[in-house]
Amino acid sequence: MYGAILGDIIGSPFEFDRGSKTKKFELFSKESSFTDDSVMTAAVAEALLDAGKDASPERIRELVTASMRKWGRKYPYAGYGGRFRVWLQQKNPVPYRSYGNGSAMRVSAAGWLYDTLERTVEVARATAEVTHNHPEGIKGAESVAAVIYLARTGSSKDEIREYVTRQFGYDLTRTCDEIRPEYHHVETCQETVPEAITAFLEGVDFEDVIRTAVSLGGDCDTLTAIAGSMAEAYYGIPARLIVECRDRVPEDMRAVLDRFDDALGTFPIKT
């Protein structure tokens, strides 16, 4: 979760193609702040923690829906897309066939909480389906959660690349240098998730993955949140960045992070 939130915060000043497509930039500035990506990451994590490991997909969908609506109303100006804003306010919300990258940016908790790849993918699918029930929206969530699971359980990057290509059909043959020149702001899973995975695969440590993702441009906070969630699972996160992350989110998000750490038995530096 820290990786996704840090990616969101660090990428936020460069969203809407406002960056200069370089890896050389200050990681944090006065414009670096959390957005809807962090809010929904916390919402999904809270729902999955409340559900427990053995909850049915139906129960997960129920809790994810309730949690995202609660958090969305608590932070109404975090930068949600138009259709999602409507969904937050509907009396009886229903999925709306979205293939936007929101399903992939909020799913990171699913990559950590379960003991098998199959269960990880099943839960990721359930978290997507409440809004993003288009096949591409579901695939985006499943693939990101799967990469996190594989990364944290010892798979190599070559093995991760092969799995994603075979299982999800994403084109991971382009390098970041090939992607960067023509890449622009786009909010679909199809044109965000493969690029985020490529940034993760090319990066040499957590910070380098973040810098590589930002350098691509596009929907930078979301792309970097996705890449950062994978990088955390593979590399871990330096203590100074965990401290910075916690300092830049409100108390209720820190409380979810603490619950998540407790569930995993991890002990990152607290502030």
Side-chain angles (χ1 to χ4, degrees):
M1 279 183 63
Y2 285 99
I5 295 172
L6 278 165
D8 177 36
I9 292 170
I10 294 169
S12 61
F14 309 105
E15 190 182 14
F16 303 111
D17 297 315
R18 291 178 293 182
S20 54
K21 297 212 171 191
T22 178
K23 293 170 68 171
K24 297 179 179 179
F25 60 90
E26 292 293 328
L27 277 184
F28 300 99
S29 69
K30 62 182 181 180
E31 288 82 24
S32 304
S33 61
F34 71 87
T35 76
D36 60 317
D37 297 30
S38 295
V39 175
M40 289 300 114
T41 293
V44 170
E46 183 177 74
L48 296 183
L49 290 168
D50 289 345
K53 279 193 172 184
D54 299 323
S56 67
E58 293 76 16
R59 179 61 173 159
I60 291 168
R61 288 192 290 268
E62 175 187 342
L63 289 173
V64 167
T65 297
S67 185
M68 291 202 305
R69 284 161 64 80
K70 179 189 79 173
W71 281 81
R73 290 168 176 173
K74 186 184 292 189
Y75 295 96
Y77 305 113
Y80 310 105
R83 294 171 74 192
F84 188 76
R85 286 198 304 270
V86 171
W87 182 87
L88 287 174
Q89 300 302 323
Q90 287 175 334
K91 183 176 181 179
N92 297 301
V94 295
Y96 49 90
R97 292 282 292 175
S98 176
Y99 50 80
N101 53 29
S103 61
M105 60 78 165
R106 70 193 188 207
V107 77
S108 58
W112 288 93
L113 290 173
Y114 305 99
D115 298 328
T116 68
L117 178 58
E118 293 73 20
R119 176 62 170 164
T120 297
V121 171
E122 178 185 45
V123 172
R125 182 183 188 94
T127 69
E129 286 174 331
V130 298
T131 52
H132 292 56
N133 59 335
H134 187 283
E136 292 292 344
I138 291 169
K139 183 168 78 170
E142 290 179 338
S143 61
V144 171
V147 170
I148 293 169
Y149 176 87
L150 293 170
R152 73 175 177 84
T153 55
S155 292
S156 69
K157 287 191 175 182
D158 285 342
E159 289 169 334
I160 292 170
R161 183 192 300 273
E162 190 279 330
Y163 174 83
V164 170
T165 302
R166 170 174 46 83
Q167 189 70 23
F168 300 105
Y170 285 137
D171 179 9
L172 302 180
T173 62
R174 296 179 302 160
T175 67
C176 286
D177 285 344
E178 291 169 332
I179 294 168
R180 191 177 292 109
E182 302 300 324
Y183 191 61
H184 60 281
H185 187 92
V186 62
E187 298 180 359
T188 66
C189 278
Q190 301 95 298
E191 295 181 83
T192 305
V193 173
E195 289 76 9
I197 295 173
T198 300
F200 157 65
L201 292 173
E202 285 195 15
V204 298
D205 56 33
F206 179 81
E207 184 174 328
D208 189 55
V209 170
I210 295 292
R211 291 185 179 278
T212 301
V214 168
S215 78
L216 295 179
D219 189 8
C220 209
D221 59 335
T222 299
L223 189 151
T224 311
I226 295 168
S229 70
M230 303 176 199
E232 176 185 13
Y234 195 83
Y235 293 111
I237 302 178
R240 63 183 176 82
L241 295 183
I242 290 176
V243 171
E244 191 75 40
C245 178
R246 293 179 63 86
D247 285 347
R248 288 176 179 266
V249 298
E251 183 177 354
D252 53 1
M253 288 190 198
R254 289 197 298 272
V256 176
L257 285 165
D258 290 344
R259 279 189 67 192
F260 198 75
D261 294 338
D262 289 344
L264 297 178
T266 56
F267 304 95
I269 293 174
K270 302 289 196 292
T271 56

